[in-house]
Amino acid sequence: MNSAQEELSTPIKAGSAADPIYRDLKSKIMKGTLEGGRPLRQDEIASAHGVSKIPVREALRRLEIEGLVEFRPQRGAIVRKLSAEDVLQFIDIRLALECRALELAIPNMIERDLEHARSLLDDYAAETAIERWSDFNLQFHRLLYEPCGNRHLLGMISDLEQRIGPYMRLQVTEASGLDRPMREHHEILEACAREDSTFAVNTLRKHIQTTQKEVAAYLRRRTA
């Protein structure tokens, strides 16, 4: 193998070794198994995966780029802890992305889309476990935006969901409860059925803004 081939082969090999480590750590961070502020010791991770520290370092750097891990002097890598400001700013971004996605989606919705969303809301209303409310809420919003036809926009919304993570989404659900979000979900859906984009988008905007206020109050109480 010549030097050029060696240069090309090295990062590919390192990347393939880093992939399962990256996926494992990312999954645990998203689920809250690895909580914010938790040290990520490279030697322990390397030992657990049976690899050297090189692919571990690469996996951690990838997670750092995604905002899930940070490196601190004297401490090394730790799981990034979302601050109240982070969460509220993510909701600001959600407001812009999701309102645009709904605006684009409504002209493309067919009756099957509406029926699927109504059925999901029925299951949502019958659910008593708060953990499942969070899942149903996420599924409902995804159903609304899917017909928008803009995969880049949907990708950005999905990335934002991942950054917030299941644990924090559950906190948002606890802050909002069931009654108010459910009522507004039905209002948004029926406006979609009428093809009333203005009302649907305005209601979604108020829906997200109210959630943001509830989350801000919830986080203040939790800090206090």
Side-chain angles (χ1 to χ4, degrees), residues 90-183:
F90 283 151
I91 297 176
D92 271 334
I93 300 169
R94 178 188 166 194
L95 182 65
L97 296 179
E98 296 188 23
C99 286
R100 179 56 177 161
L102 182 61
E103 184 179 28
L104 293 173
I106 290 173
N108 299 327
M109 288 183 182
I110 60 175
E111 188 58 35
R112 186 186 304 171
D113 298 322
L114 300 170
E115 289 174 359
H116 192 177
R118 290 190 186 103
S119 175
L120 188 141
L121 286 182
D122 288 341
D123 293 338
Y124 189 173
E127 183 57 64
T128 58
I130 193 168
E131 296 84 359
R132 292 288 294 138
W133 293 355
S134 180
D135 293 336
F136 277 122
N137 181 70
L138 183 61
Q139 291 176 50
F140 175 73
H141 282 272
R142 284 177 176 172
L143 282 177
L144 286 184
Y145 312 142
E146 186 63 34
C148 82
N150 187 325
R151 62 184 178 86
H152 299 291
L153 178 55
L154 292 173
M156 293 171 71
I157 293 171
S158 177
D159 179 67
L160 185 63
E161 291 166 358
Q162 291 187 32
R163 286 178 180 273
I164 294 175
Y167 176 75
M168 186 50 68
R169 282 202 305 272
L170 180 58
Q171 307 305 302
V172 171
T173 300
E174 288 181 352
S176 301
L178 180 65
D179 294 342
R180 191 271 306 169
M182 182 62 70
R183 182 179 65 254

